[in-house]
Amino acid sequence: MKLLYKLYILTILLLGSFFSLAQNPAISGKVTDAETKKPLTGVSIYVKGKIYGTVSDAQGNFNLNISPPATLVISMIGYKRVEIAASTSPMNLSMQPSSEELDQVVISASRIEENILRSPVSIEKWISGPFSKVLQRTTSTDW
């Protein structure tokens, strides 16, 4: 009985060690602004060509459970996109600010009320049209 108990414990320990070896190492780091050296919040970090990704926290830290070799794509609005090879050591990434001119937006105003534009057919045309006889035959008391 003791031999069976020892064999059972040994099997559990071996299986536990196999599961711990099968885990992916974590890739972690910090994203900062290259000019001000302040941490960047909300930076998108994802693996190129995969669906794995994360976002940096309020201190600019990120953590991804993937194993190298992998290419990380780091992007944020207002900064240049960076592609870098992943490593298991803590990564300190700095992003360069970028300014790009966006497409122009044209805003126009109209004097016509919006609720008139909501109905596709005006009510006067509808009452005098082919439905006028149907409407006149209804038993509504307000007609």
Side-chain angles (χ1 to χ4, degrees):
M1 186 70 176
K2 281 188 171 187
L3 181 63
L4 186 61
Y5 180 73
K6 288 180 181 179
L7 187 59
Y8 179 71
I9 296 295
L10 181 65
T11 305
I12 290 175
L13 289 174
L14 285 175
L15 285 176
S17 66
F18 287 130
F19 287 127
S20 67
L21 290 175
Q23 293 179 356
N24 290 334
I27 294 175
S28 61
K30 186 172 186 173
V31 184
T32 57
D33 187 309
E35 294 177 357
T36 63
K37 305 297 184 210
K38 291 184 179 179
L40 294 175
T41 304
V43 177
S44 174
I45 299 117
Y46 64 94
V47 180
K48 187 175 183 178
K50 304 284 184 181
I51 58 171
Y52 306 118
T54 189
V55 178
S56 64
D57 62 7
Q59 291 79 31
N61 298 319
F62 69 92
N63 191 8
L64 268 173
N65 290 326
I66 61 166
S67 58
T71 301
L72 296 180
V73 179
I74 299 100
S75 63
M76 184 177 181
I77 294 175
Y79 291 88
K80 292 182 182 177
R81 185 175 156 192
V82 178
E83 291 187 14
I84 190 166
S87 68
T88 54
S89 61
M91 303 172 69
N92 291 319
L93 308 170
S94 60
M95 296 187 71
Q96 295 287 335
S98 170
S99 61
E100 294 181 15
E101 187 173 322
L102 302 176
D103 293 334
Q104 294 181 356
V105 176
V106 177
I107 299 173
S108 63
S110 175
R111 291 186 175 198
I112 301 173
E113 291 183 30
E114 234 179 275
N115 51 359
I116 291 174
L117 297 174
R118 288 185 187 160
S119 66
V121 178
S122 68
I123 294 174
E124 293 87 20
K125 290 181 183 178
W126 193 58
I127 290 175
S128 64
F131 297 108
S132 62
K133 292 181 182 177
V134 175
L135 287 174
Q136 290 173 356
R137 285 184 271 165
T138 60
T139 57
S140 174
T141 58
D142 293 336
W143 264 153

